[in-house]
Amino acid sequence: DHYACAVSALLACAAHYQAVDYTDIAGDYMDLWNMTDTSVYEVKNSITYGSTQNGNIGPGFVSFCSNRGVSVSQSTSYSPSYSFFTNFIDRGDIGVVMCGIIDEDTNERSGHAMAVEGYATLKKSNSGSTVHTLMVFDGWGDTVRYLNIDFDGYTEHIAGVAFNG
């Protein structure tokens, strides 16, 4: 068994573009793993965990789709604005957000990549202040979550990949 957050995010993106072979999801997962040059960082409890460089996420996915006859282009941004994400969602596409935080338990940086399938701007009615969120599939649960991209505790700028298919 393998798990890498970027690969899991890309599998969701592949489903969006109808590039998944549902008779061989494990094979597609490993193809995405290989096409994004995901590297093993830990094997624990018979699970192989991987890490993917941000710059490999978009190009690897484009190659994966191309091999399946699906034409998708990508744009990677290392300091995306909120509109970077809302633009691809509004045109019916999907993408990936990448961020890093300091783990409160270990006090070490932890990175994560998640599929972005929507967004919501939350507004306080009493003050009018807003919070920009992305609707994400985080790869850990089976429900949607909302990522606050205005959070100031990220270890570096949020990065993003926008797909166009």
Side-chain angles (χ1 to χ4, degrees), residues 17 57-58 61-62 72-77 80 83-85 87-89 91 93-98 159-165:
Y17 293 111
I57 293 172
F61 184 72
V62 168
V72 175
S73 62
Q74 69 88 28
S75 173
T76 300
S77 175
S83 63
F84 174 86
F85 298 100
N87 287 343
F88 69 73
I89 293 300
R91 69 173 182 255
D93 284 297
I94 197 166
V96 178
V97 61
M98 302 83 81
V161 179
F163 295 117
N164 192 335

Side-chain angles (χ1 to χ4, degrees), residues 37 40 44-45 55 68 84 86-87 104 122 127 133 135 150:
D37 292 324
V40 174
K44 186 175 182 180
N45 299 326
R68 284 146 182 81
F84 174 86
T86 63
N87 287 343
E104 291 178 357
L122 309 177
S127 70
T133 69
M135 188 173 120
D150 295 334

Side-chain angles (χ1 to χ4, degrees), residues 3-10 29 32-41 49-61 78 96-99 109 111-113 161:
Y3 175 80
C5 57
V7 176
S8 295
L10 291 177
Y29 197 91
L32 284 164
W33 182 289
N34 293 326
M35 290 181 178
T36 56
D37 292 324
T38 297
S39 59
V40 174
Y41 74 84
Y49 292 93
S51 177
T52 311
Q53 295 297 312
N54 287 350
N56 294 342
I57 293 172
F61 184 72
Y78 293 96
V96 178
V97 61
M98 302 83 81
C99 59
R109 182 197 177 276
H112 198 38
V161 179

Side-chain angles (χ1 to χ4, degrees), residues 14-141:
H16 178 83
Y17 293 111
Q18 300 177 355
V20 173
D21 177 357
Y22 288 100
T23 65
D24 187 21
I25 291 176
D28 281 356
Y29 197 91
M30 290 312 300
D31 286 348
L32 284 164
W33 182 289
N34 293 326
M35 290 181 178
T36 56
D37 292 324
T38 297
S39 59
V40 174
Y41 74 84
E42 179 180 41
V43 178
K44 186 175 182 180
N45 299 326
S46 301
I47 299 172
T48 301
Y49 292 93
S51 177
T52 311
Q53 295 297 312
N54 287 350
N56 294 342
I57 293 172
F61 184 72
V62 168
S63 295
F64 174 87
C65 289
S66 178
N67 287 353
R68 284 146 182 81
V70 176
S71 179
V72 175
S73 62
Q74 69 88 28
S75 173
T76 300
S77 175
Y78 293 96
S79 188
S81 63
Y82 188 50
S83 63
F84 174 86
F85 298 100
T86 63
N87 287 343
F88 69 73
I89 293 300
D90 287 349
R91 69 173 182 255
D93 284 297
I94 197 166
V96 178
V97 61
M98 302 83 81
C99 59
I101 59 169
I102 299 298
D103 185 309
E104 291 178 357
D105 296 329
T106 65
N107 209 31
E108 293 179 3
R109 182 197 177 276
S110 181
H112 198 38
M114 298 156 276
V116 178
E117 51 189 324
Y119 64 89
T121 302
L122 309 177
K123 182 178 177 181
K124 280 188 176 179
S125 59
N126 60 346
S127 70
S129 65
T130 59
V131 175
H132 298 105
T133 69
L134 300 176
M135 188 173 120
V136 298
F137 163 65
D138 67 11
W140 296 331

